[in-house]
């Protein structure tokens, strides 16, 4: 929401539409910031107290816009939500890629059994101890090899979830 509205409003700032989009973004940012602070506090088990809202008692649209622009909670909330975008993208990519690899590793015997010799994995692992010993991951005995890697990956991915959750909570408390 913020990436799109700030890009559209910023690029159209010299037209009538740009300032309207940016002002609407400032008003929505307070509500979304409150919602995000509540959810981040709930997920991390902490209480994140939002600063008082300065618009109480202000009448008139022009005065409300002026107070909103001057209010530091508007800018901290907006910075928090904008920086949350790359953090969320990084968490999404890391967790989706990680859990896809974990799922492929843990369920490779099932997939190889169902698919037969149609090459579920596109490579052969060669381990050289004495001579050359090859393990074909596309056969049933060879498809058992990635299971311990998948179990270890599952444990590491669980810690990755906790790390991203802690980063999210720390960022919410900081802002």
């Amino acid at each position: 929401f913020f990436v799109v509205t700030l890009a559209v409003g910023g690029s159209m700032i010299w037209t009538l539409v740009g300032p309207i989009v940016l002002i609407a973004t400032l008003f929505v940012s307070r509500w979304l910031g409150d919602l995000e602070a509540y959810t981040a506090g709930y997920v991390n088990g902490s209480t994140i107290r939002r600063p008082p809202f300065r618009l109480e008692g202000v009448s008139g649209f022009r005065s409300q816009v002026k107070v909103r622009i001057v209010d530091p909670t508007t800018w901290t909330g907006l910075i928090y939500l904008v920086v949350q975008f790359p953090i969320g993208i990084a968490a999404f990519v890391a967790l989706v890629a990680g859990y896809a690899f974990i799922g492929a590793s843990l369920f490779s015997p099932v997939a190889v059994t169902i698919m037969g010799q149609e090459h579920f994995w596109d490579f052969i692992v060669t381990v050289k101890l004495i001579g050359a010993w090859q393990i074909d991951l596309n056969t049933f005995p060879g498809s058992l090899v990635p299971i311990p890697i998948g179990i270890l990956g599952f444990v590491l991915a669980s810690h990755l979830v906790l790390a991203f959750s802690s980063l999210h909570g720390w960022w919410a408390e900081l802002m």
Side-chain angles (χ1 to χ4, degrees):
F1 174 77
F2 287 108
V3 170
V4 171
T5 56
L6 292 176
V8 169
S11 64
M12 298 179 73
I13 191 72
W14 51 82
T15 66
L16 184 62
V17 175
I20 293 171
V21 169
L22 291 175
I23 289 170
T25 302
L26 285 179
F27 276 89
V28 171
S29 71
R30 176 64 188 204
W31 300 321
L32 290 177
D34 289 342
L35 178 67
E36 190 73 24
Y38 173 75
T39 56
Y42 180 77
V43 168
N44 289 310
S46 62
T47 303
I48 298 174
R49 192 180 68 71
R50 294 281 290 163
F53 196 46
R54 292 188 179 183
L55 282 180
E56 290 139 2
V58 176
S59 62
F61 180 72
R62 184 174 280 188
S63 298
Q64 287 183 358
V65 170
K66 182 179 178 185
V67 169
R68 178 69 64 140
I69 289 172
V70 176
D71 190 6
T73 60
T74 300
W75 300 105
T76 57
L78 193 61
I79 290 169
Y80 167 76
L81 291 168
V82 168
V83 173
Q84 194 60 27
F85 180 69
I87 293 172
I89 293 291
F92 177 77
V93 169
L95 294 175
V96 166
Y99 280 118
F101 177 76
I102 290 166
S105 298
L106 290 176
F107 294 106
S108 64
V110 174
V112 167
T113 303
I114 291 172
M115 295 171 70
Q117 296 292 329
E118 295 181 16
H119 298 290
F120 178 69
W121 297 98
D122 289 334
F123 52 88
I124 296 175
V125 176
T126 303
V127 179
K128 293 184 180 181
L129 295 172
I130 300 172
W133 181 44
Q134 285 190 347
I135 300 173
D136 187 3
L137 295 178
N138 295 312
T139 62
F140 183 74
S143 66
L144 297 173
V145 172
I147 291 177
I149 296 169
I151 293 170
L152 178 64
F154 188 74
V155 171
L156 293 175
S158 300
H159 288 292
L160 188 63
V161 169
L162 291 175
F164 275 116
S165 178
S166 296
L167 175 65
H168 182 79
W170 171 81
W171 180 241
E173 287 179 7
L174 179 69
M175 293 307 285

